Amino acid sequence: MHSPSELAAALAPGEWLKNFIPFEEDGSQRSWLMPYLFAHGAKPGRKVTIIAAIHGDELNGVRMLHELANLLQGTEINGSLCLVPVANLMGYANHSRYLPDRRDLNRMFPGLKDGSEGARLAHFLWTNFVAQADYIVDVHSGSYNRWNFPHLRGNMKDETMREWARNLEGQVVLTSSGVAGSLRKEAGKVGKPVFLIEAGETGRFEKDILRRGLRLLLQILVSLESIDRGVLAEVSARFDTEIGVPDHPTGYYRKAVWQRATHAGLFMPQVAPGERVAVGQPLGFITDLFGERRAEILSEQTGFILGMHLHPQVVPGRALFHIAYDFKEL
């Protein structure tokens, strides 16, 4: 079995290789087939890998990668670009975040060749798509009835990551190194910079999220000098009037907290992800089953709303809004 970079050696610069790599067998003794797209350029540059659907029901990233590949057809690429649209094949097949044994693939990196099915899949992804990359982007969506405003997460204690963030003007960044076993954490340990994108919700394609995500991915590739800025300008001319031009200060949030429900009932939000809030500002209210208000939810922080809980039914302690705060400029 050849790696994507080996198979792509005969490609003309800018030509895309679209292929599958077989990964073990399912219960019917048929091989799982991992899809990937690979392109390399005539000029040297960084090796970039972008992965989606490590959680199998997070589909916005799948479509972002499809649209990115279509847009870059015939475009001059410096270095190489590898796209993995569906990383968690088993979860994707089951419409599930998790692997069939209910484990989280994003807690199993760098994996183990002879380990559990999830550890083997993590090892397979690491060996074929992570190990040879210089920079990695991991695309996710909100889980558990949550919706995330498109933003980036990365370890801003690392100077390489801070330099990368400086080149992403207007984007919202939260510093986070990730948890043990996550792609972000484990790749960071071996000196591979990783930005995680959070955008939208699970189980669907969202038009505005796809446009924002595509623009963000192009901005990332421009920042790494993988493509010319003209491609980003073309997309910006098409989308910015509809989705808005990113206008966030260049920097990152050092902290984030979930504002939680104080009572059981039905929650009616009064703000949305992407908005700034101040301490004491009403975020929403909770009613009983007759529609009478039981509680007002007031912001405990001055900051930026990254995400929110979507389902109206809440109980005490239910996470309602994810608020980033303590901003540091770069």
Side-chain angles (χ1 to χ4, degrees):
M1 182 177 69
H2 298 284
S3 69
S5 56
E6 290 172 333
L7 288 174
L11 291 177
E15 182 182 358
W16 282 91
L17 170 68
K18 301 179 181 180
N19 205 355
F20 294 93
I21 300 181
F23 166 71
E24 302 206 351
E25 296 178 338
D26 65 11
S28 301
Q29 297 180 313
R30 295 174 298 183
S31 292
W32 291 100
L33 298 175
M34 178 72 66
Y36 70 91
L37 302 92
F38 190 95
H40 70 88
K43 298 178 182 178
R46 296 179 171 103
K47 299 174 183 177
V48 182
T49 292
I50 307 177
I51 297 176
I54 281 181
H55 293 134
D57 60 351
E58 297 178 4
L59 303 181
N60 274 317
V62 178
R63 188 58 192 165
M64 286 180 201
L65 267 57
H66 293 168
E67 296 195 5
L68 178 65
N70 288 335
L71 185 68
L72 294 181
Q73 290 286 342
T75 298
E76 184 173 321
I77 294 172
N78 301 320
S80 67
L81 178 58
C82 183
L83 309 180
V84 184
V86 181
N88 185 347
L89 295 168
M90 298 84 153
Y92 172 81
N94 293 330
H95 300 184
S96 172
R97 172 185 180 87
Y98 298 110
L99 296 160
D101 61 1
R102 297 294 296 168
R103 292 185 181 183
D104 188 333
L105 177 59
N106 208 28
R107 299 295 183 271
M108 309 189 82
F109 289 99
L112 190 63
K113 182 179 180 180
D114 298 318
S116 67
E117 56 186 309
R120 291 172 185 239
L121 178 55
H123 177 267
F124 176 86
L125 290 164
W126 188 276
T127 301
N128 287 285
F129 303 112
V130 176
Q132 71 274 20
D134 298 321
Y135 285 77
I136 301 160
V137 181
D138 182 15
V139 188
H140 289 258
S141 296
S143 60
Y144 306 116
N145 287 313
R146 293 173 181 171
W147 190 89
N148 285 325
F149 182 83
H151 67 276
L152 294 161
R153 299 183 187 181
N155 182 12
M156 293 296 107
K157 293 181 180 179
D158 181 83
E159 174 55 32
T160 302
M161 291 296 302
R162 290 197 300 273
E163 184 61 32
W164 194 2
R166 287 188 189 99
N167 294 321
L168 297 173
E169 297 179 359
Q171 297 297 338
V172 179
V173 179
L174 173 66
T175 185
S176 171
S177 61
V179 300
S182 67
L183 175 60
R184 184 166 26 135
K185 183 75 169 184
E186 302 307 320
K189 287 181 180 179
V190 295
K192 295 182 182 293
V194 180
F195 258 133
L196 181 146
I197 296 176
E198 283 283 358
E201 63 178 304
T202 60
R204 64 192 71 246
F205 293 154
E206 300 170 85
K207 184 177 180 180
D208 283 350
I209 290 296
L210 296 177
R211 290 175 172 179
R212 289 180 186 275
L214 179 59
R215 191 189 192 284
L216 176 53
L217 289 173
L218 289 172
Q219 192 175 357
I220 286 171
L221 293 176
V222 168
S223 75
L224 296 176
E225 300 180 337
S226 297
I227 60 172
D228 184 77
R229 186 172 293 275
V231 183
L232 176 60
E234 176 188 338
V235 169
S236 296
R238 289 163 51 196
F239 291 163
D240 284 357
T241 55
E242 299 177 35
I243 63 176
V245 181
D247 62 352
H248 198 277
T250 302
Y252 60 94
Y253 291 97
R254 291 187 278 197
K255 298 177 182 177
V257 65
W258 276 99
Q259 183 101 25
R260 299 182 181 276
T262 55
H263 295 69
L266 298 171
F267 179 63
M268 176 62 69
Q270 294 175 292
V271 294
E275 296 183 21
R276 294 176 174 84
V277 293
V279 170
Q281 178 178 338
L283 301 178
F285 56 87
I286 297 172
T287 73
D288 61 19
L289 295 182
F290 297 101
E292 298 292 332
R293 294 197 184 195
R294 297 194 69 197
E296 300 283 343
I297 305 298
L298 305 179
S299 180
E300 297 173 0
Q301 298 290 341
T302 294
F304 186 94
I305 301 179
L306 296 175
M308 67 174 289
H309 180 70
L310 294 173
H311 202 288
Q313 291 175 277
V314 299
V315 295
R318 179 65 50 81
L320 300 177
F321 288 103
H322 196 200
I323 301 175
Y325 64 102
D326 191 8
F327 184 77
K328 179 178 177 59
E329 292 189 5
L330 286 171

